Amino acid sequence: MKQTEQNNEEILSLANNLRWDLGQGFHDQLMESIFANATTIAQRSVTTSKEKPLFSFDRALDRIVTSPVFGFPVMFIILAMVFWITVQGANIPSEFLASILINDIHPALKSFAGSIGTPLWLSGLLIDGAYLSMAWVVSVMLPPMAIFFPLFTLLEDFGYLPRVAFNMDNLYRRAGAHGKQALTMAMGFGCNAAGVVATRVIDSPRERLIAIITNNFSLCNGRWPTQILIATIFIGGVVPAELAGIVSAAAVVGIAVLGIVFSLVVSFGLSKTMLKGEASTFSLELPPYRPPRILRTLYTSLIDRTIIVLWRAVVFAVPAGMVIWLVANVTFGEESIAQVFINWVDPAALIIGLNGVIILAYIIAIPANEIVIPTVLMLTVLVAGLTGVGSGSGVMFDAGSASATGTILAAGGWTLLTGINLMLFSLLHNPCSTTIYTIYKETKSVKWTLVSTFLPIVMGIVVCFFVTQIWRLFAGA
Amino acid sequence: MNTNKLELNNCASCPVHNVGNLKKLGINMSDYDYVVALAGNPNTGKSTVFNNLTGLKQHTGNWPGKTVTRAEGGFEFNDSKFKIVDLPGTYSLLSASTDEEVARDFILFGQPDVTVIVADATRLERNLNLVLQVLEITDRAVLCLNLMDEARRNKIEVDVRTLSKDLGIPVIPTEARQNIGMQELLNSINEVASGKYICKPYRMKGKSKELNSAVEKLSQKIKLEYPNIPNSNWVALRLLEGDQSIIDAVRTGELGNIKEVKRAITEDELQSEDAV
Amino acid sequence: MVDPLIALLTGTGLILILLIIFIPQKGLISRLRRNKRNEKRVLIEDALKHLYSCEYNGVSCSIDSIAGKLSIASDDAAKLLANLEQHDLVKSHDEDIVLTPDGRSYALRIIRVHRLWEQYLADETSVGEKDWHFSAEEIEHKLSPAQADALAAQIGNPVFDPHGDPIPTSKGDILSKRGITLNSLMPDAYAHIIHIEDEPNAIYSQLVAEGLHVGMHVRMIEATKERIRFLANGEEVVLAPLFAKNINVTTVKGEPKIEGKFKTLSSLSIGEKGKVIGISTKCRGQQRRRLMDLGVVPGTEIEVEMKSVGGDPIAYRIRGATVALRKKQAERIFLEN
């Protein structure tokens, strides 16, 4: 036994001595010799037709998509179409799901619970809290994701996305990032958690971390409805009615573009400071175009991306729903927890142009951005003591129309400034808990998870603060 | 223990995989007869092949390097049950990345009964890099030459028989996306696993003089201590690269568990043939 | 409501203060951390390292050289030396100060960590060449031998650091000094740089600025007492002998490839082809391995396929696959003329 051990050590020390003799070029020599062997073998069995085909589909297509003239326009048209189809296509099923899950099943569940004598607190907690938040997340999240991800996957299967990365790398390189980040960002417009998972295609450690940390700056589909609603109410409200539609749409697009700008600026900052030392490599293979298999893609992208992301969101939304119901219903002396908290943070929140309701809504809606607006409405009604609207304390609701929502918010003391700040804060705040969890799973690092969580929220506070104070300085309000 | 070893050596159709190590690698082999490893460059359709063989539906995009976690599945063929493990797609097995370590350790320590290497017929030369590296480690491999349709489209012809003769392993042309060639692939996997097809894998030639002599020296020493291992040259190479998992395997004597099974049989058979 | 002007000023001030405290490298926190360095143990370890380097290079050490090296007063150096002797780490005979076996193995442990860390930075991170040494000077006093072994295992148990210095094994074995100094290379002889001394920093940065690095081939033109003239990077480099002394080379027979004499991949235009002759040694670590995995090795033919919209990166046909490389990478791939 002893002898064996000694022999083993001898093997290792011989190896070490040989390594010193071989010097540093060892790996290079080895690779060279492997490829030399590969060439010899390949030459014996592979024959490539010498004459180039007159017309090659791949080449022709590549010439267009990488052309200095058509390259970017083609890309913008394709991406815009994907988003347009998603937004348009998701509307109807979203409303359908909401009407079934929220307008039909929810009251049915309530009356059923009442008929079998469930205590009020229990039916409130489970049905008004857990069920309703889940229903909300499903109806807002599922349709756009079920459309967006398959479309994106089709482009991926076809081989177009690597070309986008190829074209965008010039810009991203300057920001210290990888061209493929353009794609993970685009994916983030669908869902940040899916965007974070998609960063796996970036094989360079530093660039991958950058892509993960900045993915939150892509306005995900849970935040689009908030943006659109608030822009319609507050920004559309200050311009003449005939311009309202265009101006509020421009405001939303402006926020999304601002998000892209932030992601590039933050990428640049990170690559120059915190991530300066992380290893960085670049290589991007451009695969040949392949006809996408549509049915298969639909099936797998539904299973792989949509269902998994939705499942995670639901898992996080259920407890959040309970918390929402509890903070509105558990009282602390005369007032509910929600009211106590809101009164307490209100002064600080006003400095950054928001209010206590928004802060509380963002804290308890960490699991899903989709429920921010319903929570805000419920809390506003609760705090402002409005009667005749809403469905009771702790029950999230949808006011039905933008103007009805606007009336409630105005009663809660909201101004144009609050609206603008909410739009900014909705862009710049911590990722939802699904995304945070995904970031942790992908990076396996508490440090980077914390950075990705707190960096955007600190930025949000700073940006809202300056916007508010400068606004007050000039507008005097 | 000894009788067990003898049995293994005398049974041409017995599986060769290393159950103890496979367990350590997290593979449960209790209901399977053979284990098949699936290796290949990224973006060669490896996962499509995997899905075709197992009937699983794992999504993979037209992207290099999509399968990050190791997938497993199973299939039955000719009354034998096969466990198939999809290794991460890698360009090489020599670098320090985690993916490559996973693939390398699985093939070396798990000793799969068959390693299927999926290669892109349109970029055979680059894919051969990985093929040759795998053949340095294991004696039992099948080359699945995928994307033959694309090769045809690009007017690339591959002489499968010459390639198979040169590499010393079965080469099966496939079009995994159209499910073409899968039966032949299954057949070959079965033949290699059951010992009906005996591979004579190509071993690399023409390394530089210094490299050769260093490998030779070290490999001699390793063979002295571990006469049974089938790939002492490769182990020597890995030691010269400073691979920690191999260093540990030498230090703990774990290397002794990797035994050559197939070769012994071939030689036995040859001898018996001679006798006749 | 607070006056917005006051709020703005307070807010800006607060952000500035936080930046001053927390900003990496220049912030108060990182400064505080660095100032903790001058502890006794650090001095002891640095002194041992210095003594070892004298021994390795075959020169003698004195109290003054220790004092100079550690930037402390001669009196303090003498006290330090007495302390070392007390602990049986050094022995002094008359003027000669030598390491005891214990002292030597202690020094080698520190050097092992130092060189491992440099190799780690060079191979696994993007930290710039000039920062390796400083970072290693700090880390060498912090890692335990077990941590050093783990680090070594993680980076493939390297046997050389990026300057070409051998890394001591965990048992304390080390390769003896190799090669000759550049000064003693004969005119017209070809040689291969195997080591560039990274201390003192002034000289090292000058050598780095000249583009010299380990693994590079050079050809001597003339070596006089005033100047050393040689060919590297395809052009003439002139160094003072004091500088050239810090470069170790081994002579090479025949006529090796000298970098820079060749065109780079980045110089080709669309449709042109070239045969790879090598990758610059400046491209190292993961990036180098990745390029070779993709088939960029000597003998590979590469064709320029297409440019991206912005002109960088460019897609190349490498062994049947289309691979996009950035300009900076293409500049480091050398082609046959």
Side-chain angles (χ1 to χ4, degrees):
Chain A
M1 203 58 215
K2 202 87 199 143
Q3 185 60 37
T4 320
E5 249 168 56
Q6 202 180 337
N7 287 345
N8 286 341
E9 286 305 319
E10 262 174 43
I11 293 177
L12 295 179
S13 79
L14 175 64
N16 215 54
N17 289 335
L18 287 171
R19 291 178 76 193
W20 268 329
D21 292 344
L22 280 173
Q24 286 162 302
F26 170 74
H27 186 82
D28 293 26
Q29 281 180 31
L30 187 57
M31 290 305 293
E32 192 179 337
S33 97
I34 295 174
F35 272 108
N37 278 275
T39 310
T40 321
I41 296 175
Q43 269 167 357
R44 280 169 52 88
S45 50
V46 180
T47 40
T48 316
S49 148
K50 278 279 173 284
E51 67 207 88
K52 283 208 171 142
L54 283 177
F55 177 79
S56 153
F57 174 74
D58 278 34
R59 280 193 175 242
L61 198 53
D62 269 339
R63 206 157 294 153
I64 296 171
V65 300
T66 63
S67 123
V69 184
F70 300 112
F72 282 139
V74 165
M75 183 183 85
F76 285 125
I77 290 170
I78 291 180
L79 292 183
M81 262 169 58
V82 168
F83 286 119
W84 186 78
I85 295 174
T86 306
V87 172
Q88 289 301 314
N91 259 339
I92 298 160
S94 251
E95 273 164 28
F96 176 69
L97 277 175
S99 81
I100 291 186
L101 293 176
I102 297 166
N103 298 348
D104 297 342
I105 297 186
H106 178 242
L109 279 176
K110 283 288 274 191
S111 61
F112 174 72
S115 71
I116 58 166
T118 318
L120 268 183
W121 65 268
L122 189 62
S123 74
L125 189 65
L126 293 180
I127 300 171
D128 292 338
Y131 169 77
L132 202 55
S133 81
M134 186 200 76
W136 221 288
V137 168
V138 170
S139 61
V140 178
M141 202 166 169
L142 180 61
M145 285 208 309
I147 298 172
F148 181 75
F149 287 142
L151 285 178
F152 215 72
T153 313
L154 282 178
L155 285 179
E156 184 180 335
D157 266 9
F158 176 56
Y160 179 62
L161 295 191
R163 268 80 181 170
V164 173
F166 179 53
N167 284 334
M168 296 299 285
D169 186 65
N170 201 17
L171 178 62
Y172 280 83
R173 190 192 66 243
R174 285 164 213 248
H178 196 293
K180 288 179 190 167
Q181 191 175 322
L183 307 177
T184 62
M185 258 181 67
M187 190 72 119
F189 281 116
C191 169
N192 293 139
V196 169
V197 175
T199 60
R200 284 178 185 180
V201 298
I202 301 175
D203 56 6
S204 167
R206 173 166 70 185
E207 282 73 3
R208 178 156 184 232
L209 272 174
I210 290 176
I212 289 178
I213 296 172
T214 58
N215 196 274
N216 187 43
F217 295 115
S218 290
L219 209 55
C220 71
N221 89 46
R223 291 182 270 173
W224 283 101
T226 311
Q227 297 286 350
I228 294 169
L229 183 69
I230 299 297
T232 313
I233 297 171
F234 291 98
I235 302 201
V238 292
V239 292
E242 62 271 21
L243 290 177
I246 293 179
V247 172
S248 51
V252 175
V253 172
I255 291 283
V257 171
L258 193 66
I260 298 175
V261 171
F262 270 120
S263 92
L264 285 169
V265 170
V266 171
S267 296
F268 181 79
L270 284 171
S271 74
K272 288 280 177 285
T273 56
M274 290 186 86
L275 293 170
K276 196 176 165 196
E278 296 286 324
S280 157
T281 63
F282 179 84
S283 71
L284 170 65
E285 210 180 327
L286 302 175
Y289 291 104
R290 285 171 190 157
R293 289 164 303 165
I294 293 172
L295 285 178
R296 176 134 216 172
T297 303
L298 284 178
Y299 177 81
T300 49
S301 74
L302 265 176
I303 294 295
D304 245 33
R305 287 180 175 150
T306 317
I307 299 295
I308 286 175
V309 169
L310 187 70
W311 170 244
R312 275 194 196 168
V314 167
V315 166
F316 283 107
V318 166
M322 298 198 200
V323 171
I324 291 170
W325 189 84
L326 285 174
V327 294
N329 284 285
V330 176
T331 51
F332 211 63
E334 287 291 291
E335 294 174 309
S336 64
I337 293 182
Q339 276 162 317
V340 174
F341 180 85
I342 289 167
N343 291 339
W344 179 62
V345 289
D346 229 22
L350 284 173
I351 292 180
I352 56 169
L354 299 172
N355 58 40
V357 167
I358 299 176
I359 303 288
L360 180 60
Y362 269 102
I363 291 174
I364 51 186
I366 285 177
N369 284 293
E370 284 83 354
I371 55 177
V372 164
I373 286 296
T375 310
V376 162
L377 288 177
M378 181 272 284
L379 291 173
T380 307
V381 170
L382 185 76
V383 174
L386 300 183
T387 49
V389 279
S391 322
S393 65
V395 187
M396 293 176 278
F397 69 96
D398 181 356
S401 69
S403 60
T405 312
T407 320
I408 295 173
L409 293 180
W414 289 45
T415 61
L416 172 58
L417 181 62
T418 322
I420 292 175
N421 277 321
L422 177 59
M423 287 174 78
L424 288 170
F425 196 70
S426 155
L427 174 71
L428 301 171
H429 71 88
N430 55 288
C432 68
S433 50
T434 315
T435 306
I436 297 175
Y437 174 67
T438 311
I439 291 173
Y440 179 72
K441 275 195 80 173
E442 294 295 317
T443 60
K444 297 203 174 61
S445 144
V446 176
K447 180 185 169 194
W448 295 122
T449 312
L450 290 176
V451 169
S452 335
T453 309
F454 288 103
L455 183 72
I457 196 153
V458 168
M459 286 177 64
I461 290 172
V462 171
V463 167
C464 287
F465 170 79
F466 280 99
V467 168
T468 308
Q469 299 305 332
I470 291 172
W471 178 287
R472 285 194 184 140
L473 193 63
F474 290 104
Chain B
M1 210 52 208
N2 253 340
T3 51
N4 197 4
K5 216 188 289 171
L6 271 173
E7 245 171 50
L8 269 180
N9 277 336
N10 288 331
C11 162
S13 62
C14 283
V16 294
H17 59 260
N18 190 326
V19 181
N21 279 342
L22 282 173
K23 246 185 214 155
K24 253 186 258 165
L25 291 162
I27 309 288
N28 180 9
M29 282 298 294
S30 52
D31 280 330
Y32 295 92
D33 302 316
Y34 298 112
V35 61
V36 180
L38 196 61
N41 276 17
N43 209 33
T44 50
K46 192 161 70 73
S47 299
T48 317
V49 172
F50 179 81
N51 289 342
N52 285 351
L53 292 178
T54 59
L56 279 180
K57 307 218 161 38
Q58 189 191 31
H59 175 258
T60 48
N62 193 0
W63 262 115
K66 217 40 198 313
T67 320
V68 174
T69 43
R70 196 181 57 194
E72 285 171 39
F75 61 88
E76 235 174 285
F77 186 78
N78 272 7
D79 299 330
S80 302
K81 281 184 181 156
F82 291 81
K83 176 117 190 181
I84 180 160
V85 179
D86 190 12
L87 302 175
T90 57
Y91 291 109
S92 167
L93 292 178
L94 290 171
S95 300
S97 80
T98 336
D99 282 2
E100 296 187 23
E101 259 163 47
V102 169
R104 191 162 68 209
D105 288 356
F106 190 86
I107 301 176
L108 179 68
F109 296 114
Q111 284 186 283
D113 298 289
V114 187
T115 302
V116 177
I117 313 154
V118 184
D120 178 347
T122 61
R123 312 149 180 216
L124 185 61
E125 209 179 313
R126 194 186 75 196
N127 282 243
L128 278 175
N129 170 29
L130 181 71
V131 176
L132 293 177
Q133 292 184 30
V134 171
L135 293 187
E136 290 286 305
I137 313 178
T138 175
D139 277 1
R140 300 155 149 260
V142 174
L143 179 64
C144 164
L145 201 56
N146 197 19
L147 301 171
M148 287 302 281
D149 41 344
E150 238 167 67
R152 245 191 332 269
R153 199 150 53 86
N154 291 307
K155 302 227 163 69
I156 296 169
E157 275 171 50
V158 184
D159 179 352
V160 174
R161 293 178 91 189
T162 310
L163 188 60
S164 169
K165 226 170 72 197
D166 283 351
L167 291 174
I169 55 171
V171 175
I172 313 296
T174 62
E175 293 161 32
R177 283 161 69 95
Q178 271 70 43
N179 222 338
I180 295 174
M182 288 300 129
Q183 277 309 312
E184 291 81 351
L185 182 62
L186 281 169
N187 243 330
S188 274
I189 292 174
N190 187 43
E191 275 180 355
V192 172
S194 61
K196 268 187 219 127
Y197 186 109
I198 292 163
C199 302
K200 296 186 183 66
Y202 178 91
R203 292 283 154 102
M204 267 181 279
K205 309 176 183 85
K207 295 175 196 110
S208 78
K209 227 192 233 160
E210 302 127 30
L211 194 57
N212 252 344
S213 84
V215 170
E216 198 55 36
K217 253 190 234 165
L218 192 54
S219 152
Q220 290 294 341
K221 185 121 191 158
I222 296 168
K223 268 192 207 145
L224 221 59
E225 185 62 31
Y226 300 103
N228 282 326
I229 67 167
N231 38 23
S232 59
N233 272 353
W234 193 78
V235 171
L237 269 180
R238 289 312 300 161
L239 285 178
L240 291 176
E241 290 245 40
D243 183 331
Q244 189 63 31
S245 62
I246 308 282
I247 292 178
D248 288 342
V250 170
R251 190 159 279 150
T252 57
E254 170 78 35
L255 204 58
N257 292 341
I258 299 168
K259 286 189 194 74
E260 184 173 31
V261 180
K262 204 67 247 170
R263 284 271 165 239
I265 301 160
T266 11
E267 272 156 25
D268 285 354
E269 280 171 359
L270 281 177
Q271 273 167 8
S272 59
E273 270 171 35
D274 280 351
V276 171
Chain C
M1 194 93 286
V2 196
D3 186 306
L5 201 60
I6 295 174
L8 275 176
L9 290 174
T10 336
T12 319
L14 205 66
I15 290 173
L16 280 178
I17 290 171
L18 287 177
L19 278 182
I20 289 171
I21 295 178
F22 287 107
I23 213 162
Q25 271 134 51
K26 287 178 191 118
L28 285 179
I29 287 194
S30 27
R31 265 170 215 236
L32 264 176
R33 270 197 201 159
R34 240 170 300 157
N35 276 345
K36 272 178 62 190
R37 268 204 64 209
N38 272 343
E39 290 165 14
K40 202 167 173 191
R41 188 169 62 94
V42 173
L43 284 178
I44 288 180
E45 293 178 353
D46 284 347
L48 286 174
K49 244 179 26 174
H50 175 62
L51 288 166
Y52 181 81
S53 119
C54 293
E55 183 183 293
Y56 191 75
N57 292 315
V59 294
S60 65
C61 266
S62 64
I63 289 183
D64 287 340
S65 79
I66 295 175
K69 178 77 199 174
L70 305 188
S71 349
I72 52 174
S74 286
D75 284 351
D76 292 335
K79 267 187 224 152
L80 184 63
L81 208 59
N83 196 348
L84 288 175
E85 256 184 289
Q86 217 173 16
H87 285 91
D88 244 353
L89 295 169
V90 303
K91 261 193 203 125
S92 48
H93 309 280
D94 308 323
E95 284 298 284
D96 244 10
I97 310 165
V98 291
L99 288 165
T100 64
D102 276 353
R104 189 172 303 112
S105 78
Y106 193 164
L108 280 169
R109 258 195 338 255
I110 303 300
I111 291 170
R112 174 171 159 82
V113 177
H114 182 103
R115 293 183 181 168
L116 276 175
W117 188 253
E118 288 190 329
Q119 180 62 22
Y120 164 76
L121 293 179
D123 225 37
E124 306 271 318
T125 72
S126 314
V127 174
E129 207 164 336
K130 285 179 194 160
D131 298 328
W132 296 341
H133 183 70
F134 291 112
S135 171
E137 284 283 294
E138 282 180 34
I139 290 291
E140 65 187 12
H141 305 297
K142 287 180 188 156
L143 290 195
S144 70
Q147 284 170 317
D149 288 347
L151 177 69
Q154 187 201 332
I155 58 175
N157 301 291
V159 288
F160 291 102
D161 77 359
H163 306 295
D165 284 317
I167 298 174
T169 63
S170 51
K171 290 197 209 80
D173 297 329
I174 188 165
L175 186 67
S176 48
K177 201 176 167 71
R178 304 172 304 154
I180 52 171
T181 61
L182 184 60
N183 307 38
S184 37
L185 189 64
M186 286 294 151
D188 281 333
Y190 283 95
H192 175 84
I193 299 183
I194 52 168
H195 169 59
I196 297 179
E197 180 57 46
D198 57 359
E199 280 192 305
N201 192 49
I203 293 184
Y204 181 62
S205 359
Q206 170 73 30
L207 298 177
V208 169
E210 291 282 359
L212 301 172
H213 50 80
V214 171
M216 187 176 221
H217 284 105
V218 295
R219 198 188 69 166
M220 184 55 78
I221 300 171
E222 77 172 326
T224 65
K225 280 206 173 109
E226 286 76 39
R227 57 182 192 168
I228 311 288
R229 238 163 26 102
F230 61 99
L231 219 55
N233 282 331
E235 51 188 59
E236 223 180 273
V237 180
V238 181
L239 289 177
L242 182 69
F243 282 61
K245 195 167 63 74
N246 277 5
I247 301 174
N248 268 38
V249 297
T250 51
T251 49
V252 186
K253 285 183 210 97
E255 208 171 308
K257 305 148 185 172
I258 296 187
E259 268 176 31
K261 225 162 72 181
F262 300 93
K263 60 181 179 192
T264 61
L265 185 58
S266 59
S267 70
L268 299 187
S269 30
I270 292 190
E272 285 186 330
K273 283 181 194 173
K275 201 172 217 173
V276 176
I277 186 160
I279 306 175
S280 161
T281 28
K282 274 191 173 166
C283 173
R284 49 165 74 86
Q286 292 181 13
Q287 182 68 73
R288 186 184 188 85
R289 287 194 293 264
R290 172 46 53 90
L291 282 179
M292 289 192 294
D293 287 347
L294 290 169
V296 183
V297 296
T300 301
E301 202 174 65
I302 301 186
E303 185 184 345
V304 189
E305 195 153 293
M306 61 186 167
K307 283 187 177 169
S308 61
V309 171
D312 180 16
I314 292 175
Y316 299 93
R317 191 124 195 110
I318 304 173
R319 293 189 182 253
T322 308
V323 178
L325 297 177
R326 287 176 177 170
K327 191 158 175 248
K328 222 173 171 176
Q329 296 171 297
E331 277 167 356
R332 291 186 171 166
I333 297 172
F334 299 112
L335 305 177
E336 265 174 25
N337 279 320

